[in-house]
Amino acid sequence: MNSVEDMLKCLIPLLVILALQADGSAAEKLLHRTRRQDDAAVDFKCPKADGLFADPETCRKFYICAGYYPFSQNCPSSLYFDDIKKFCTRKTKQLACGPVEQPDTVAPPTPDPNATPGCDPANCVLPECYCSSDGTQVPGGLEVSDTPQMILLSFDGAVNSLNFDHYRKLLTKTRTNPNGCPIKGTFFVSHEYTSHFHIQKFYADGHEIAIHSISNRSPEDWWAAASYENYAEEMVGQREILHKFANISRDALLGMRVPYLHPGGNDMMNMLYDYDFVYDSSIIVPMSHTPVWPYTLDYKIPHKCMQGTCPTRSFPGLWEIPLNTLFSEDGTGGMCSLADQCVFQENDDESVEQFLKDNFKRHYNVNRAPLGLYFHVNWFNDRNKTNVLLNFIDDIRTKHRDVWFVTMQELVSWMRQPTKSADLSSFAPWACEKRENSCNIPKNCEVPLTMDGYTEMRYMQTCAKCPVKYPWVGNFEGAAEGINIMELTRDADPEPVAEAEAESRKR
């Protein structure tokens, strides 16, 4: 049984039955949830009792079936329902539009003879290693009531003048954590269309900058099959670009998230391990009423691999900050790993608010695993959604003194040294941090980029000297003549690279 079916079987029973059983006030509240249902849903025949299914007439629409009863859902503007991925996404050549026949059973993957075993708590000890049998146990043996509820705000993609003010409206200095320091977020930055001037401003304000690749290239499944060398050029290359043009120390660029959440299995993790990344945040956890905590990749991941290309081998001390699937208790919005992938009717502020509250309560009331609210800019292009999010954050900050908005690096620091909520005001890794700004007036660089024999002009903002060419894969410095990351590494320390290449070929 797939995760979608599992999710829907955990949802409320049929609304019709509940309405008959409920008292008058409960029935009215329940009906409010069903008023969004349009007449066309009545004509749709669910192919299975439970699941998400494409509309046969348009890619902009899909149905949630519960007990063979269809509930109509529309994708947000500019997004389309992919019947294989089962969520709304951008329109690309790989979009699976319309009903797609899929086999009921999938052949199990070939076992990895070198696969790492399951968690061994006796040999997995903090601060270097953390695991639990199902990933749900609170680190350090803390009681849930003593555990801070950490909330992770992250933003994927380019950062520039078009979205800077959107993000700044959320990450204002007047929104503070219980220790009086401003709340913080993590930016997973891709290079194309990014203003390094604006990146540097966020970094100066104490936010974390992490890696999301140079190209953010398509097709989406390229990343699942990418080689060790591909990942080195894309991710280490992006780290070098941010170091050079955003003036951020390499030692501060410690995390990564793969584009489209299509992880590259052992090759990707091997690259992260070799190039001294501290964590990855690309692996999705199936829908569960008990969230999963971060873990190190010393042992087998403690949950089902949703994407099919998770690591199977051991990478000691490398942290995985997984994406717990978001969902509402009544099914409104569907389920998603990135908050902007869940689908709400336009101007349905109440459903968005309830969705955020349901996910917060599930984490806070169960095991206080970190709640991830991960976004692309399209969430903030919707004024209603933005206002609901801001009100939600202000509400929980006011009501809870044990809720902290932290970066991914700050989360890892806490995981390595679990500390009770009562002692966090003096927890050094979460102290206020203000860094020096590189400049107030950036350089506006107009530089050429040549790809596939075609040259076009690109624009970038930076406080550093303008490059000769637009920095890109194979030319992270933007020099007249490019050089690959692997060539530099080979020149500096040939043995580890040769070993990595040999291991990659074995896979």
Side-chain angles (χ1 to χ4, degrees):
M1 182 175 293
N2 60 39
S3 59
V4 173
E5 292 173 345
D6 290 339
M7 176 195 75
L8 290 165
K9 288 190 175 181
C10 292
L11 299 178
I12 58 171
L14 292 177
L15 299 181
V16 175
I17 297 174
L18 270 176
L20 292 174
Q21 294 177 343
D23 60 27
S25 60
E28 288 176 3
K29 184 176 180 180
L30 200 60
L31 285 173
H32 180 79
R33 291 287 185 182
T34 64
R35 286 172 188 161
R36 299 182 298 111
Q37 181 73 3
D38 59 40
D39 294 336
V42 178
D43 297 329
F44 181 79
K45 304 298 182 184
C46 291
K48 294 182 180 180
D50 306 297
L52 277 66
F53 304 97
D55 186 283
E57 304 297 331
T58 174
C59 292
R60 301 299 304 278
K61 188 174 180 180
F62 66 99
Y63 296 89
I64 298 177
C65 289
Y68 286 105
Y69 191 87
F71 295 91
S72 175
Q73 300 283 326
N74 293 321
C75 287
S77 58
S78 78
L79 298 183
Y80 300 81
F81 184 73
D82 188 306
D83 198 36
I84 293 179
K85 297 174 183 175
K86 299 299 184 184
F87 59 73
C88 296
T89 185
R90 291 175 293 176
K91 190 174 184 179
T92 65
K93 292 180 180 179
Q94 290 73 41
L95 178 71
C97 178
V100 176
E101 292 187 10
Q102 300 182 55
D104 291 332
T105 58
V106 178
T110 303
D112 183 349
N114 298 311
T116 188
C119 173
D120 181 0
N123 292 315
C124 186
V125 181
L126 289 171
E128 301 302 328
C129 180
Y130 180 71
C131 69
S132 62
S133 60
D134 60 2
T136 66
Q137 295 180 19
V138 180
L142 296 184
E143 296 292 334
V144 171
S145 59
D146 291 329
T147 304
Q149 177 59 66
M150 290 168 277
I151 298 182
L152 305 170
L153 299 172
S154 80
F155 313 90
D156 292 5
V159 175
N160 50 47
S161 60
L162 297 178
N163 55 29
F164 178 79
D165 288 338
H166 288 306
Y167 296 148
R168 198 70 174 270
K169 186 176 181 180
L170 166 60
L171 300 172
T172 177
K173 295 177 183 178
T174 59
R175 288 194 174 90
T176 57
N177 280 318
N179 63 353
C181 301
I183 67 172
K184 297 178 184 177
T186 300
F187 291 84
F188 289 96
V189 181
S190 52
H191 170 59
E192 193 168 20
Y193 308 117
T194 280
S195 163
H196 295 86
F197 169 70
H198 288 96
I199 285 292
Q200 204 280 329
K201 288 176 74 69
F202 276 130
Y203 180 70
D205 284 343
H207 303 293
E208 180 187 358
I209 308 301
I211 309 302
H212 200 49
S213 82
I214 294 177
S215 69
N216 199 37
R217 72 178 72 189
S218 58
E220 295 180 12
D221 57 5
W222 182 88
W223 298 93
S227 67
Y228 178 100
E229 294 82 356
N230 292 148
Y231 271 103
E233 300 304 328
E234 286 276 2
M235 303 304 177
V236 183
Q238 173 66 346
R239 182 166 67 184
E240 292 299 315
I241 289 173
L242 289 168
H243 169 63
K244 182 176 180 66
F245 295 104
N247 194 32
I248 301 174
S249 167
R250 295 182 184 91
D251 293 337
L253 298 164
L254 301 177
M256 190 208 86
R257 176 173 290 160
V258 68
Y260 312 109
L261 301 180
H262 283 278
N266 294 323
D267 278 347
M268 184 185 88
M269 295 300 181
N270 197 33
M271 183 280 300
L272 291 172
Y273 186 83
D274 286 347
Y275 284 93
D276 297 324
F277 284 82
V278 169
Y279 73 86
D280 170 68
S281 181
S282 304
I283 296 179
I284 299 172
V285 178
M287 195 212 80
S288 171
H289 288 273
T290 304
V292 168
W293 279 86
Y295 47 85
T296 58
L297 292 169
D298 295 65
Y299 297 95
K300 181 180 179 181
I301 65 173
H303 55 81
K304 178 182 177 182
C305 176
M306 295 288 289
Q307 298 113 309
T309 49
C310 301
T312 59
R313 300 185 182 180
S314 177
F315 301 93
L318 180 61
W319 287 89
E320 179 61 37
I321 302 177
L323 293 84
N324 284 290
T325 295
L326 302 171
F327 63 96
S328 184
E329 295 303 316
D330 68 354
T332 300
M335 63 179 187
C336 52
S337 48
L338 302 175
D340 50 87
Q341 290 177 341
C342 271
V343 183
F344 305 92
Q345 294 293 331
E346 293 184 9
N347 302 318
D348 189 5
D349 297 354
E350 182 182 346
S351 291
V352 178
E353 178 185 13
Q354 191 61 48
F355 175 84
L356 294 172
K357 288 182 176 179
D358 284 351
N359 283 283
F360 173 76
K361 289 176 181 178
R362 183 165 52 254
H363 286 251
Y364 187 81
N365 294 335
V366 178
N367 66 350
R368 299 202 180 170
L371 169 61
L373 298 177
Y374 309 136
F375 304 96
H376 293 95
V377 71
N378 55 321
W379 179 286
F380 299 91
N381 289 332
D382 186 319
R383 183 179 300 176
N384 291 342
K385 282 186 177 179
T386 301
N387 289 335
V388 171
L389 176 65
L390 297 180
N391 291 335
F392 163 75
I393 289 174
D394 290 338
D395 182 62
I396 58 176
R397 284 179 48 253
T398 301
K399 293 179 178 178
H400 302 280
R401 296 295 298 170
D402 51 4
V403 172
W404 297 72
F405 292 81
V406 299
T407 68
M408 303 252 176
Q409 287 188 33
E410 289 175 330
L411 165 62
V412 171
S413 295
W414 186 92
M415 293 290 301
R416 292 169 61 89
Q417 186 183 345
T419 303
K420 293 182 178 181
S421 296
D423 301 325
L424 284 173
S425 291
S426 58
F427 186 56
W430 291 7
C432 304
E433 185 174 10
K434 176 69 177 178
R435 307 177 181 113
E436 196 68 28
N437 207 348
S438 290
C439 68
N440 292 317
I441 302 176
K443 298 179 178 68
N444 294 303
C445 307
E446 182 181 4
V447 287
L449 171 64
T450 301
M451 287 192 302
D452 301 324
Y454 177 74
T455 300
E456 63 181 21
M457 301 306 293
R458 292 292 178 93
Y459 302 87
M460 59 181 286
Q461 288 186 318
T462 177
C463 292
K465 181 181 178 181
C466 289
V468 177
K469 294 183 177 180
Y470 190 71
W472 201 246
V473 179
N475 187 8
F476 57 88
E477 292 184 322
E481 296 294 332
I483 186 170
N484 291 323
I485 291 293
M486 296 296 292
E487 293 177 18
L488 282 179
T489 312
R490 185 179 292 107
D491 292 340
D493 193 359
E495 290 187 6
V497 175
E499 292 174 1
E501 290 175 337
E503 185 66 21
S504 179
R505 285 191 290 271
K506 290 179 183 178
R507 301 188 187 109

